[in-house]
Amino acid sequence: MARKKSDKQVTNKIEQTVSTILSRLNLPFKEQVVVDKYTVDFLVDNKYIVECFGDFWHCNPQQYTSSYYNKGKKKTAEEIWKRDKERKETFEQLGYKVVRLDRVMFAGLTKKDLPRSKWRLLTDKELNFLRMLFELQ
């Protein structure tokens, strides 16, 4: 069962961008919702969980070794990867479809040629592609 964690929203730039996209798609969604024992970034239409994976907080395997110690989380990259996998498995067992976004690419959409920490709005073509992906008409 999902419940909202609090009225205060903790967002970063990727989460703000995802929120804008979901709003433009007219999808019902909640931010920072507790599902089971985990807080998820977005619960979309009560069936999709969208997680925004930053390179640092989720220790992108292309940038960090398994022994890297993340001081912010006080865990090694391997421990973080294991927890992320357990979260995904829990959500799937509860019947949710899980979508993980990283700051570089999602569903064929890329931030190609955008400087680090910058963002852009999606084109109508990209929005239509996402509608198709999420089976929306």
Side-chain angles (χ1 to χ4, degrees), residues 113-126:
D113 301 327
L114 281 178
R116 186 174 175 86
S117 81
K118 298 296 179 188
W119 63 278
R120 67 173 177 81
L121 293 176
L122 295 178
T123 65
D124 287 338
K125 182 178 178 181
E126 291 167 329

Side-chain angles (χ1 to χ4, degrees), residues 82-93:
K82 181 180 177 187
R83 183 170 190 271
D84 287 342
K85 181 180 177 187
E86 289 170 356
R87 286 170 57 98
K88 184 176 188 282
E89 290 170 352
T90 297
F91 301 148
E92 288 171 342
Q93 288 171 359

Side-chain angles (χ1 to χ4, degrees), residues 12-29:
N12 55 38
K13 287 190 180 207
I14 189 172
E15 290 174 6
Q16 291 168 358
T17 302
V18 171
S19 180
T20 299
I21 291 167
L22 293 172
S23 294
R24 283 187 66 193
L25 291 169
N26 294 317
L27 290 170
F29 69 94

Side-chain angles (χ1 to χ4, degrees), residues 44-89:
V44 181
D45 201 22
N46 289 317
K47 58 184 171 185
Y48 298 98
I49 289 176
V50 179
E51 296 273 68
C52 302
F53 276 26
D55 288 342
F56 175 74
W57 291 109
H58 293 273
C59 294
N60 181 338
Q62 294 177 342
Q63 296 182 356
Y64 298 96
T65 64
S66 61
S67 62
Y68 172 79
Y69 185 76
N70 184 310
K71 292 179 184 177
K73 284 199 167 183
K74 297 180 181 169
K75 295 180 180 182
T76 65
E78 187 170 12
E79 292 170 320
I80 291 168
W81 299 334
K82 181 180 177 187
R83 183 170 190 271
D84 287 342
K85 181 180 177 187
E86 289 170 356
R87 286 170 57 98
K88 184 176 188 282
E89 290 170 352

Side-chain angles (χ1 to χ4, degrees), residues 1-4 32-40 42-43 49 87 90-91 94 96:
M1 180 60 71
R3 69 186 193 287
K4 191 165 179 152
Q32 301 298 315
V33 174
V34 176
V35 176
D36 194 53
K37 62 183 179 179
Y38 303 106
T39 300
V40 301
F42 296 93
L43 178 60
I49 289 176
R87 286 170 57 98
T90 297
F91 301 148
L94 292 171
Y96 294 99

